[in-house]
Amino acid sequence: AQTVTQSQPEMSVQEAETVTLSCTYDTSESDYYLFWYKQPPSRQMILVIRQEAYKQQNATENRFSVNFQKAAKSFSLKISDSQLGDAAMYFCAYRSGYNNNDMRFGAGTRLTVKP
Amino acid sequence: ETGVTQTPRHLVMGMTNKKSLKCEQHLGHNAMYWYKQSAKKPLELMFVYNFKEQTENNSVPSRFSPECPNSSHLFLHLHTLQPEDSALYLCASSQDEGAPETQYFGPGTRLLVL
């Protein structure tokens, strides 16, 4: 079974600084997709960034980038130039490339941004 | 917002009540999902519908009954729930054509079972 582990229940970062959120996953599959979702307080969960396992290049989306280490089964999220609006719960998610119905989430990391 | 709406946003019900949660997506997607989000636990996928056909039921108790009348609407019918069913219920949709695509989430219904 695929599991997703986020080992940091809470993280904090100073505004304008950089923070890295950790995620590891366990799978025996070779085709899969990884996601980072953001859930601000009382607001909808939205996609931050997505990575296809077959792509070696790390995905980037403006201030957000990932460090995808396939052999280590690690998928960390780096937020650069942190802003107050980045404060949220961040969820790492795994989706099987063989079974679209197999979607698993980590327990989340609560990120606080200090002004 | 994301194009996925859910009603009601908050619901309080007794264990003998029957209620329904509604989800609507305005994105033209072909797949819809129900998730349960409990405090300090990972999101749990409950049900999946592809092209209105249920394709997944992750051992969800029968007191939860999904319905997908068309590709834009998804319901979750609730009856004789337990207090441990109190949680945030999230609906999501995606356009899956071969490779899995990004899921778009609704705001959720916060359910309290007394």
Side-chain angles (χ1 to χ4, degrees):
Chain A
Q2 286 68 246
T3 59
V4 179
T5 303
Q6 293 179 249
S7 59
Q8 307 153 318
E10 296 183 355
M11 290 283 283
S12 68
V13 62
Q14 204 71 33
E15 194 175 7
E17 298 292 310
T18 295
V19 65
T20 298
L21 308 184
S22 301
C23 174
T24 59
Y25 57 94
D26 181 32
T27 185
S28 59
E29 298 178 336
S30 59
D31 183 21
Y32 52 88
Y33 299 75
L34 298 166
F35 306 84
W36 277 99
Y37 280 90
K38 169 186 177 181
Q39 188 177 38
S42 302
R43 296 190 63 186
Q44 287 171 250
M45 182 134 41
I46 58 173
L47 178 72
V48 175
I49 202 164
R50 159 199 170 110
Q51 174 83 44
E52 291 85 351
Y54 62 83
K55 290 186 177 179
Q56 293 185 335
Q57 188 172 8
N58 288 328
T60 62
E61 195 71 40
N62 300 317
R63 298 182 295 107
F64 299 87
S65 62
V66 298
N67 183 4
F68 175 46
Q69 300 291 326
K70 191 171 184 178
K73 298 179 182 175
S74 171
F75 182 61
S76 60
L77 175 69
K78 185 171 82 171
I79 307 174
S80 304
D81 185 26
S82 297
Q83 300 176 0
L84 296 178
D86 295 334
M89 282 290 290
Y90 285 82
F91 294 95
C92 178
Y94 170 105
R95 195 168 188 191
S96 169
Y98 301 98
N99 178 5
N100 284 353
N101 299 330
D102 188 355
M103 178 86 171
R104 296 172 191 266
F105 284 78
T109 296
R110 181 174 301 282
L111 178 66
T112 303
V113 181
K114 298 179 180 178
Chain B
E1 302 295 349
T2 64
V4 182
T5 58
Q6 290 186 242
T7 55
R9 295 293 303 275
H10 301 272
L11 178 63
V12 180
M13 58 187 289
M15 288 190 284
T16 58
N17 293 157
K18 288 185 179 181
K19 297 287 184 183
S20 296
L21 310 184
K22 179 183 177 182
C23 175
E24 184 174 1
Q25 57 99 358
H26 312 274
L27 302 168
H29 288 168
N30 61 5
M32 297 187 76
Y33 313 80
W34 278 117
Y35 286 90
K36 177 183 179 182
Q37 186 176 25
S38 305
K40 299 183 179 180
K41 290 179 64 177
L43 271 74
E44 302 171 56
L45 180 61
M46 300 174 70
F47 298 104
V48 180
Y49 278 82
N50 286 107
F51 294 101
K52 303 185 298 177
E53 298 293 324
Q54 183 177 322
T55 60
E56 188 76 10
N57 173 346
N58 283 338
S59 303
V60 179
S62 59
R63 56 186 184 269
F64 295 91
S65 174
E67 178 190 1
C68 188
N70 55 61
S71 58
S72 299
H73 294 85
L74 184 65
F75 294 89
L76 187 62
H77 303 300
L78 317 171
H79 65 97
T80 60
L81 294 192
Q82 304 299 310
E84 59 265 28
D85 297 322
S86 299
L88 181 67
Y89 289 84
L90 295 171
C91 173
S93 71
S94 64
Q95 182 63 22
D96 287 348
E97 295 175 355
E101 293 299 329
T102 301
Q103 294 184 358
Y104 292 80
F105 285 82
T109 295
R110 187 160 297 282
L111 173 67
L112 177 62
V113 181
L114 301 176

